[in-house]
Amino acid sequence: MTQEIKFLQGNEACLEGALKAGARFYAGYPITPSSEIAEMASQRLPAIGGVFIQMEDELGSMAALVGASMAGAKAFTATSGPGFSLMQENLGLAIMTEAPCVVINVQRSGPSTGLATKPAQADVMQARWGTHGDHAIITLCPTSVQECYDLMIYAFNFSERFRTPVIFLSDEIVGHMREKVVLRDDIPVVDRAFPQCEPNQYKPYKAGDDKVPPMAYFGSEFIFHASSSMHDETGYPNNTSQNADKVIRRLYEKIYDHRDEISITKEFETEDADVLFISFGAAARSAREAVKMLRSGSIKAGLLQINTIWPFPDEKVKRLALRAKVVLVPEMNLGQIINEVIKFSCGTPVFGINKVDSTIITPLEIVNKAKEVLQNA
Amino acid sequence: MPKNIFDYIIEDRLPFFWCEGCGNGIILKSIAQAFADLELEPKNIVVVTGIGCWGKADDYLSTNSLHVTHGRALAAATGVKAVNPNLKVVALMGDGDGVTIGGNHFIHAARRNMDITAIISNNFNYGMTGGQYSGTTPEPSFTATSRYGSVEPPFDICALAKAAGAPYVARATVYHVNLLERYIKNAIQKKGFSVVDVINICPTYYGRFNKLKSPVEMMSWLRDNSTMKLEDGNIYNNRFAIGEFVNEDKLDFSTKYAQLQNNARKLSVQLEQDLSGK
Ligand SMILES: Cc1ncc(C[n+]2csc(CCOP(=O)(O)OP(=O)(O)O)c2C)c(N)n1
Ligand code: SF4
Ligand SMILES: [Mg+2]
């Protein structure tokens, strides 16, 4: 089988991945540095029978995704900081109604409208906790154009498999750089499980052992109620405390029980690493380069690259941190993922490498910090 | 197959949780009657609701439904309709839900001409949260957050819908039930964005705050203050103008988008041939 090889921008690769995964609906509101995704979606989707719609704002975009998802489409959107903030309301709606969909946030420098065209990685905790209430969330982070394509397919797969929104946390650097990408065919595409019972027996929120309820679509023989408010297996309101406890825990556990299936990380030279970098997105690229530079100077460095940042890969961090002398966490913010790392570092000292001037953390900056820390260790 | 209202309303879920004398039941019955008269299949209907007293109407329905966040019913309905234009999509919203917090979605759904029917229970206040003023509260009304009388002019929902381009716009009250049923039926049959502004009574809050002491008094108030003659359509010149204000034919979003999809298919085939040098 010949697989297409292209030279694409990260944002373009996201769209290719989405189409490969079967996406047929996009609703969004343009914002730098994500707009290329909307523009390409508007061209490609209608030609394959899909729908692109430019909504009046991101509140509406996210709500439209939920409607489209319930009508049976694989749905997605792309945005950045200010738009991602507006999406938080109905991201919660997608969680509560269990509407599979994918939300791409190409991170830019904030707060507020901030430095619109410049990169940052400061929405890590917003991705985890931006929408109110107890909830679990899956968040994937690409470090390259190839990963934009690959992980986008996984993002849709996870959303379909677990009936949940998935956040695709890219950044301006990865989104706008151009690299070679193989539009591979070897990642199997997953579709939501359709109910197997009789239509009149169908309960839209009755889950089996895996805690994920099978999903019908509007217009099928399976009539159903989906609700933003507390509901039981039938989809109709049930405000008892027992029910609330059951629902909130199931929504959480359907993701946390399957974290092994969801967790994607990559390790570079971690086997014997004294200096362990833990990073994600654009910063992980520099960290990987720093590993090479340090190794050539005979300092044993290694990198744990986190692609699934939520749920956080705590077991993996524990295992690797235990063996290292120091752990360093480069990230383009004032310290977000480092707090998770510290929780699981098993006493190994952890240092941040942080930058918020909207320029990338360079490999040399990482190397220098590693040497400084080692000297004092 | 001939239908009746209990093909859409779940009898076991009655009585309604709404207050005694609330007009919501009248609207819901009119909607079920319209579904029945049109012999719609419940599986082909999607009722989208927002948050509010009226937003709980779907609790009693056996059709498909999607109960969403406050103000976003039309945006969610837009997603449903865009994916499957064959579904009958009906959005039930309060005056707060539909044209205050959701005002932006309302004007844009109308502008886009989504084939959705919006049925607004316009009770001039936020019933669900204790009777605060909304974007349609007449001036100067007394509400939980306007104890000295409101000083903000209200939206006229029909004028707003008309200006935004909706091809079907009508107003009735819960007193004028025959008219209400007829307008709802016409709205559902209209291909395009249709709006029925239903002047409703909230005896518990709006009535109590504004010296309309009982449901009966509120109903008399609707009877005595409604007119089908007001030419300027302004409902707030002390009288509620009721009637069909717009009823025209206009291509809806999905019809135009299907055409766009055809063009896109042809163009992309052409583009590929050009690129491969054929
Ligand atoms: C974002 C948000 N803000 C506020 C609320 C609280 N709230 C719930 S219903 C409602 C108003 C309902 O009024 P309306 O839409 O007119 O419906 P009614 O209860 O009068 O039928 C408000 C303010 C909410 N649920 N969500
Ligand atoms: S508060 Fe008002 S709108 Fe709500 S149920 Fe009671 S009467 Fe009806
Ligand atoms: Mg109201």
Side-chain angles (χ1 to χ4, degrees), chain A residues 89, chain B residues 18 24 50-56 69-72 93-101 121-130 132 134 136 200 202:
Chain A
E89 176 191 64
Chain B
W18 295 312
N24 285 350
I51 304 291
C53 292
W54 179 228
K56 282 184 72 65
T69 42
H70 190 35
R72 315 298 167 217
M93 303 167 291
D95 44 316
D97 208 28
V99 297
T100 313
I101 192 169
S121 155
N122 186 359
N123 58 12
F124 306 127
N125 74 165
Y126 295 160
M128 186 76 153
T129 44
Q132 300 86 358
S134 81
T136 70
N200 195 2
C202 171

Side-chain angles (χ1 to χ4, degrees), chain A residues 30-330:
Chain A
I31 185 166
T32 304
S34 74
S35 300
E36 295 85 5
I37 303 175
E39 289 165 10
M40 285 187 61
S42 76
Q43 283 180 38
R44 299 281 294 280
L45 280 171
I48 53 171
V51 176
F52 166 91
I53 188 163
Q54 191 165 295
M55 293 298 287
E56 47 276 12
D57 57 31
E58 290 86 348
L59 297 156
S61 305
M62 196 61 223
L65 251 54
V66 172
S69 182
M70 291 295 168
K74 290 191 183 180
F76 72 123
T77 187
T79 188
S80 189
F84 192 53
S85 290
L86 287 189
M87 284 180 186
Q88 297 306 322
E89 176 191 64
N90 295 312
L91 191 65
L93 174 66
I95 291 170
M96 194 61 163
T97 55
E98 301 184 63
C101 55
V102 175
V103 177
I104 304 169
N105 173 7
V106 187
Q107 292 170 95
R108 69 186 220 185
S109 175
S112 193
T113 40
L115 245 178
T117 58
K118 295 290 170 58
Q121 296 181 298
D123 303 345
V124 174
M125 297 313 291
Q126 187 186 22
R128 178 64 190 90
W129 291 114
T131 193
H132 61 276
D134 268 317
H135 63 276
I137 193 85
I138 299 174
T139 302
L140 305 185
C141 254
T143 69
S144 66
V145 174
Q146 185 67 53
E147 282 183 357
C148 283
Y149 176 83
D150 296 353
L151 292 178
M152 201 60 196
I153 300 174
Y154 284 109
F156 275 96
N157 284 354
F158 293 156
S159 77
E160 295 283 313
R161 163 81 177 88
F162 300 109
R163 275 194 74 169
T164 184
V166 171
I167 296 169
F168 194 86
L169 200 60
S170 183
D171 56 64
E172 192 277 336
I173 295 170
V174 174
H176 280 163
M177 72 188 177
R178 286 185 180 273
E179 287 180 322
K180 188 185 98 171
V181 53
V182 183
L183 303 185
R184 40 196 286 214
D185 294 319
D186 58 340
I187 303 173
V189 167
V190 176
D191 296 328
R192 60 196 73 168
F194 195 75
Q196 298 301 317
C197 59
E198 288 300 312
N200 61 4
Q201 300 294 309
Y202 179 52
K203 292 187 177 142
Y205 295 106
K206 185 173 163 58
D209 290 341
D210 70 350
K211 300 181 179 166
V212 185
M215 184 172 176
Y217 55 87
F218 290 149
S220 73
E221 296 300 319
F222 296 75
I223 297 176
F224 68 95
H225 263 53
S227 180
S228 159
S229 299
M230 187 51 75
H231 50 267
D232 60 24
E233 292 177 341
T234 63
Y236 287 89
N238 179 335
N239 294 341
T240 63
S241 45
Q242 294 95 309
N243 180 63
D245 184 75
K246 198 170 138 190
V247 169
I248 295 168
R249 285 182 196 279
R250 182 179 64 74
L251 289 176
Y252 191 88
E253 287 163 4
K254 75 172 178 179
I255 289 171
Y256 274 78
D257 285 2
H258 297 99
R259 43 195 309 177
D260 289 347
E261 205 181 320
I262 299 164
S263 197
I264 303 170
T265 56
K266 288 180 188 159
E267 293 176 42
F268 302 96
E269 317 237 23
T270 51
E271 296 313 311
D272 59 345
D274 293 329
V275 177
L276 176 69
F277 299 120
I278 299 182
S279 191
F280 59 97
R285 298 174 68 90
S286 297
R288 205 169 150 186
E289 198 54 37
V291 168
K292 287 186 204 150
M293 290 162 72
L294 287 164
R295 289 253 168 199
S296 71
S298 52
I299 292 174
K300 290 179 188 159
L303 165 68
L304 171 64
Q305 173 185 307
I306 302 178
N307 289 115
T308 302
I309 58 170
W310 306 117
F312 187 74
D314 45 16
E315 287 303 325
K316 188 143 279 182
V317 168
K318 265 187 214 163
R319 189 167 55 74
L320 294 176
L322 257 177
R323 288 204 310 240
K325 288 199 179 121
V326 289
V327 176
L328 288 106
V329 183

